[in-house]
């Protein structure tokens, strides 16, 4: 990309179009034409008829009847039956205030007994609604028109494949660490309501029979592993001798010095920059590995989820980056290891670990990783053997150039990996061939100027993971995750300094998960923003900010569900939002009174009033 002198100062160009979306899809496509075509043609149907929206009631107003700002991540509605009886029950209602770090809310859960819910565990679908209501004000104008209202957001998630867990009584825990901190402009309390809707009908044929959590299983703190060593985290698992299939679902996110792992600098080049710039080492490549009994079973090359405070917070308000409220998960078929796992004479383990590019350890502090093992059970003993285990080492190469006087530094990391594991599984007198394979490619180009205060990163992660059982595809994950980040901190260490970024990111994925119906996604996003700061050195605050974000989203699933969205924000307000497709009703556009075609006023902090809690409503 070109060095744009207007990087942080001008409103975003609106040159981004369907044409460039198509180009991205073509260049990076791992998806077959059959997978891509419905996404692209669905988008085309709607994008051509963009009309100007009339001027609406602005958000920034004294009028207390104006609804709170709706914060959202674009999401595809869950797949639920249209005509079946259902019941909705509240699972948890809790207020997370300051001090809620590492203090999750825990409530006991029992399967619903209401008649409309049907027989526990026999649901055709289960969806979960997470609604957050931040009753404070994060952003504030300095004009005579303070925002009187808070912010609210809802995500509805398809959790049908966790059906075996919902069928049992247990504790339900929600951790909300890392969100409420007035020093970071994240003031106010969060009211969280989680409810689940259970749909009657024939039990979902996709959900597994047994789910074994892969987590620390702590009863009082969040249930993920915090990983900062190369050893990762190991769980003992007991798999019934009659199990026939085993799939590992992984959730992973970089945190702290690993939050922006894709911008971390290879150690070989770290000393080209003064330490004051604060660049973080151990390189930008990360691989999450799944090991069964110590043997590598499969890997995850994750999509870079940028959280709401990430890189430049004003880029993401009120439209977050993809995955910020509902991170993608990944699958490894561990069925080829069933012959080992069903052996009751030995103990078995599953290990989750993260590999970076540094040495001892290869990653910084830290990654949050957890998962679940989804098993299918049978009525007879299973046996079999691993026929071939072809898992060569990762190919990875780092190169780069340092210009004279260290003025410009460029680095390049390329990686690839292919693996193939084949087993024979015998159950009930029948033999089954199981082949799990992965074919992945990665590259990361970075360029730095101004002692590392300005950085451009282009990252590409593409690949296919596939599993066939007796020739039938049970898992196919074809993905492209291009990411381009330009960040400029040149004026960061200045009184009234500022910083900003421009980010392009796509999430293009066709996923046949082993426990859900086929789902395909094509999301493209372009955001840009700048934050102004006060004092330096010493305690400083963000005092003002601008930001914009444009996203188009296409979703097509295996039960003819479609969902398309064309949405944009500028300076704290939605400038447009159009939704079409068969699932439109389940996740409609934001109300008209939230649309301000010219954008909002941006963020401005009133210096005279820093305590933002308890604003009149
Ligand atoms: C990133 O990609 C853009 C667009 O293709 C290109 O202009 C730019 O030079 C690339 N930047 C780096 C650091 O490779
Ligand atoms: C970084 O931002 C500053 C302030 O906006 C600007 O003067 C400078 O040209 C930018 N640097 C680059 C390389 O774009
Ligand atoms: C989700 O829950 C919230 C709060 O209970 C409710 O207002 C909203 O209508 C629900 N949304 C959906 C799609 O069920
Ligand atoms: C797992 O099993 C081993 C023995 O096989 C035991 O030493 C270890 O403590 C167990 N780990 C956990 C977390 O229970
Ligand atoms: C310039 O980079 C080299 C490594 O390429 C490093 O040894 C040197 O210390 C750097 N100079 C400065 C002033 O940072
Ligand atoms: C798995 O199936 C076997 C045989 O039908 C049964 O005895 C066992 O209880 C099942 N295991 C679980 C954890 O459901
Ligand atoms: C933020 O405030 C500073 C100091 O008043 C001003 O120079 C700058 O232009 C403002 N930036 C934005 C984005 O409003």
């Amino acid at each position: 990309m070109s060095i744009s002198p207007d990087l942080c100062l001008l409103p975003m160009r609106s040159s981004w179009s369907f044409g460039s979306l198509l180009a991205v899809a073509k260049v990076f496509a791992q998806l077959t034409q059959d997978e891509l075509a419905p996404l692209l043609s669905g988008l085309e149907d709607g994008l051509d008829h963009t009309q100007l929206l009339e001027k609406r009631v602005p958000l920034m107003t004294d009028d207390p009847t104006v609804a709170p700002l709706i914060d959202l991540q674009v999401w595809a509605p869950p797949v639920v039956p249209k005509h079946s009886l259902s019941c909705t029950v509240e699972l948890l209602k809790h207020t997370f205030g300051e001090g809620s770090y590492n203090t999750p809310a825990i409530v006991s859960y029992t399967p619903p007994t209401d008649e409309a819910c049907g027989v526990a565990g026999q649901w055709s679908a289960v969806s979960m609604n997470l609604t957050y209501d931040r009753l404070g004000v994060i952003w504030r104008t300095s004009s005579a028109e303070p925002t009187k209202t808070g912010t609210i957001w809802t995500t509805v998630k398809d959790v049908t494949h966790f059906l075996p867990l919902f069928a049992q009584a247990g504790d339900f825990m929600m951790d909300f660490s890392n969100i409420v901190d007035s020093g970071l402009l994240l003031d106010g309390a969060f009211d969280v309501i989680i409810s689940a809707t259970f749909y009657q009908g024939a039990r979902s044929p996709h959900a597994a029979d047994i789910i074994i959590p892969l987590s620390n299983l702590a009863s009082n703190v969040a249930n993920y592993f915090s990983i900062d060593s190369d050893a990762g985290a190991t769980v003992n698992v007991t798999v019934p001798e009659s199990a026939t299939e085993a799939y590992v679902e992984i959730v992973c996110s970089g945190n702290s010095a690993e939050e922006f792992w894709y911008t971390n600098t290879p150690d070989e080049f770290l000393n080209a920059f003064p330490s004051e710039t604060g660049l973080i080492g151990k390189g930008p490549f990360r691989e999450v590995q799944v090991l069964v009994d110590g043997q590598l079973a499969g890997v995850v090359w994750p999509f870079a989820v940028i959280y709401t405070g990430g890189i430049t917070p004003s880029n993401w308000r009120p439209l977050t980056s993809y995955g910020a409220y509902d991170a993608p998960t990944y699958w490894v078929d561990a069925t080829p290891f069933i012959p080992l796992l069903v052996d009751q004479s030995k103990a078995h383990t599953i290990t989750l670990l993260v590999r970076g590019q540094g040495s001892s350890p290869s990653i910084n502090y830290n990654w949050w990783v957890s998962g679940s093992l989804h098993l299918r059970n049978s009525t007879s003993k299973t046996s079999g053997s691993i026929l071939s285990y072809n898992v060569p080492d990762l190919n990875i190469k780092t190169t780069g150039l340092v210009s004279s006087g260290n003025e410009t530094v460029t680095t390049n990391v390329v990686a690839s990996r292919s693996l193939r594991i084949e087993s024979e599984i015998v159950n009930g007198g029948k033999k089954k061939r199981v082949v799990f394979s992965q074919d992945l490619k990665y590259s990361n180009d970075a360029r730095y100027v101004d002692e590392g205060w300005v950085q451009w990163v282009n990252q590409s992660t593409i690949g296919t993971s596939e599993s066939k059982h007796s020739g039938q595809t049970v898992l196919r994950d074809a993905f492209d995750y291009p990411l381009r980040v330009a960040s400029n901190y040149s004026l960061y260490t200045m009184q009234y300094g500022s910083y900003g970024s421009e980010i392009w990111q796509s999430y293009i994925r066709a996923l046949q998960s082993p426990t859900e119906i086929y789902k395909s996604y094509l999301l493209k996003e372009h955001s840009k923003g700048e934050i102004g700061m006060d004092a330096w050195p010493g305690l400083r605050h963000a005092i003002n900010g601008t930001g914009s974000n444009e996203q188009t989203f296409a979703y097509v699933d295996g039960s003819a569900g479609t969902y398309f969205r064309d949405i944009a924000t500028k300076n704290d307000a939605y400038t447009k939002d159009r939704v079409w497709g068969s699932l439109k009703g389940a996740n409609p556009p934001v109300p008209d009174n939230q649309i301000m075609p010219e954008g909002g006023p941006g963020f401005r902090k009133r210096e005279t009033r820093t305590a933002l809690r308890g604003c009149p409503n």
Side-chain angles (χ1 to χ4, degrees):
M1 57 146 279
S2 58
I3 304 177
S4 61
D6 62 332
L7 178 63
C8 312
L9 301 173
L10 295 179
M12 190 164 73
R13 290 179 302 272
S14 56
S15 60
W16 179 62
S17 66
F18 177 63
S20 58
L21 183 71
L22 195 63
V24 164
K26 271 187 186 145
V27 170
F28 293 95
Q30 283 292 290
L31 285 64
T32 63
Q33 269 312 309
D34 286 351
E35 289 163 339
L36 254 184
L39 293 164
L40 292 174
S41 64
L43 265 182
E44 206 167 30
D45 286 347
L47 281 177
D48 286 345
H49 329 290
T50 315
Q51 6 123 355
L52 264 182
L53 291 139
E54 15 168 328
K55 186 109 182 133
R56 310 288 181 196
V57 181
L59 177 70
M60 311 306 158
T61 166
D62 252 347
D63 179 357
T65 63
V66 170
L69 178 63
I70 295 171
D71 247 22
L72 67 86
Q73 179 211 302
V74 169
W75 49 273
V79 179
V80 297
K82 281 188 196 79
H83 304 294
S84 94
L85 275 178
S86 68
C87 73
T88 297
V89 297
E90 188 174 285
L91 300 180
L92 180 147
K93 187 171 183 174
H94 189 78
T95 301
F96 292 90
E98 235 163 307
S100 53
Y101 197 92
N102 257 341
T103 312
I106 301 167
V107 292
S108 59
Y109 166 82
T110 45
T113 48
D114 193 283
E115 209 177 310
C117 310
V119 181
Q122 296 304 305
W123 306 295
S124 58
V126 185
S127 70
M128 208 150 118
N129 171 340
L130 298 83
T131 296
Y132 305 72
D133 193 349
R134 179 176 276 191
L135 297 170
V137 177
I138 315 168
W139 303 77
R140 177 170 288 272
T141 67
S142 66
S143 72
E145 300 176 342
T147 307
K148 301 228 173 203
T149 48
T151 166
I152 182 164
W153 78 85
T154 292
T155 305
V156 182
K157 195 177 164 65
D158 189 346
V159 289
T160 307
H161 77 289
F162 286 115
L163 192 155
L165 292 183
F166 284 102
Q168 300 164 8
D171 280 344
F172 184 85
M173 181 188 292
M174 160 132 198
D175 181 60
F176 213 65
S177 295
N178 207 14
I179 292 278
V180 184
D181 180 346
S182 51
L184 298 175
L185 285 172
L186 296 168
D187 335 54
F190 265 99
D191 271 359
V192 175
I193 301 171
I194 302 179
S195 60
T197 303
F198 300 88
Y199 296 84
Q200 285 193 29
R203 183 188 192 274
S204 160
H206 307 286
D209 300 318
I210 301 163
I211 297 180
I212 299 175
L214 304 175
S215 85
N216 61 8
L217 294 181
S219 58
N220 55 354
V221 291
N223 271 216
Y224 48 74
F225 291 113
S226 163
I227 295 180
D228 59 1
S229 80
D230 288 344
T234 296
V235 190
N236 294 334
V237 293
T238 305
V239 172
E241 60 183 2
S242 48
T244 54
E245 293 166 50
Y247 306 99
V248 180
E249 182 178 20
I250 300 115
V251 188
C252 52
S253 61
N255 178 58
S256 204
E258 292 284 294
E259 181 172 352
F260 309 111
W261 45 276
Y262 42 88
T263 64
N264 287 4
T265 305
D267 287 341
E268 299 89 317
F269 295 91
L270 207 51
N271 67 358
F273 307 101
S275 58
E276 297 80 62
T277 313
L279 294 178
I280 297 169
K282 302 195 187 281
F285 175 79
R286 295 293 178 272
E287 174 177 271
V288 181
Q289 301 184 343
V290 178
L291 281 65
V292 177
D293 290 351
Q295 255 190 310
L296 187 64
V299 299
V300 173
W301 288 12
F303 173 76
V305 174
I306 304 173
Y307 294 96
T308 50
I311 307 180
T312 308
S314 51
N315 289 24
W316 316 121
R317 189 180 155 83
L319 178 61
T320 76
S321 129
Y322 191 73
Y325 292 158
D326 187 12
T329 66
Y330 310 92
W331 291 93
V332 163
D333 187 0
T335 307
F337 293 86
I338 278 283
L340 308 184
L341 289 168
V342 294
D343 178 354
Q344 307 296 309
S345 71
K346 295 195 182 104
H348 302 285
T349 59
I350 291 193
T351 301
L352 302 174
L353 62 83
V354 187
R355 272 295 143 80
Q357 289 180 262
S359 54
S360 318
S362 66
I363 56 169
N364 302 287
Y365 182 86
N366 65 349
W367 273 75
W368 289 342
V369 182
S370 63
S372 42
L373 179 63
H374 297 244
L375 301 172
R376 289 196 208 283
N377 200 5
S378 73
T379 48
S380 52
K381 265 174 121 167
T382 304
S383 62
S385 59
I386 297 182
L387 301 177
S388 78
Y389 180 79
N390 186 1
V391 183
D393 288 346
L394 170 76
N395 287 308
I396 183 162
K397 201 168 121 202
T398 302
T399 53
L401 280 174
V402 179
S403 74
S404 81
N406 297 8
E407 276 187 3
T408 302
V409 178
T410 58
T411 62
N412 172 248
V413 178
V414 289
S416 63
R417 187 192 266 288
S418 292
L419 61 82
R420 188 179 183 280
I421 306 168
E422 178 170 0
S423 291
E424 185 175 73
I425 313 287
V426 185
N427 180 281
K430 287 197 186 114
K431 286 182 180 172
K432 190 166 75 173
R433 275 295 164 97
V434 173
V435 182
F436 176 61
S437 60
Q438 294 188 284
D439 192 2
L440 315 168
K441 286 192 175 52
Y442 169 92
S443 76
N444 183 295
D445 289 311
R447 189 150 50 97
Y448 306 77
V449 296
D450 192 17
E451 300 186 326
W453 292 104
V454 176
Q455 182 185 9
W456 293 270
V457 173
N458 287 358
Q459 180 169 285
S460 157
T461 312
I462 67 175
T464 307
S465 299
E466 203 161 50
S467 190
K468 293 196 172 180
H469 293 190
S470 300
Q472 238 192 330
T473 302
V474 298
L475 164 64
R476 179 176 147 81
D477 184 355
F479 62 88
D480 308 326
Y481 307 143
L483 169 66
R484 214 167 120 193
V485 179
S487 63
N488 183 335
Y489 284 75
S490 284
L491 305 183
Y492 189 71
T493 58
M494 253 180 73
Q495 175 123 26
Y496 295 106
S498 63
Y499 64 94
S501 67
E502 183 166 12
I503 298 165
W504 296 257
Q505 187 174 28
S506 296
Y507 177 78
I508 306 169
R509 190 176 189 194
L511 176 63
Q512 174 59 68
S513 115
T515 63
E516 288 185 277
I517 65 160
Y518 170 78
K519 296 179 177 180
S520 60
Y521 309 81
L522 200 168
L523 174 119
K524 196 184 177 215
E525 110 186 30
H526 177 201
S527 70
K528 184 170 167 170
E530 187 194 12
I531 299 273
M533 318 277 290
D534 57 8
W536 177 271
L539 184 65
R540 63 194 327 209
H541 310 91
I543 52 169
N544 57 18
T546 55
S548 57
N549 192 337
E550 279 191 278
Q551 297 182 16
T552 41
F553 179 64
Y555 166 84
V556 172
D557 68 36
S559 43
T562 61
Y563 185 84
F564 304 96
R565 194 158 187 170
D566 181 23
I567 182 168
T569 57
K570 188 172 151 190
N571 297 341
D572 258 19
Y574 294 94
T575 55
K576 65 171 174 183
D577 187 11
R578 296 187 49 250
V579 174
W580 63 103
S582 68
L583 300 172
K584 170 181 174 166
N587 186 13
V590 299
D592 284 351
N593 66 5
Q594 298 248 341
I595 306 283
M596 296 173 71
E598 305 304 321
F603 154 66
R604 203 168 285 267
K605 186 185 172 105
R606 273 210 289 191
E607 310 238 10
T608 48
R609 194 165 156 215
T610 46
L612 300 180
R613 205 100 73 85
C615 296
N617 231 320

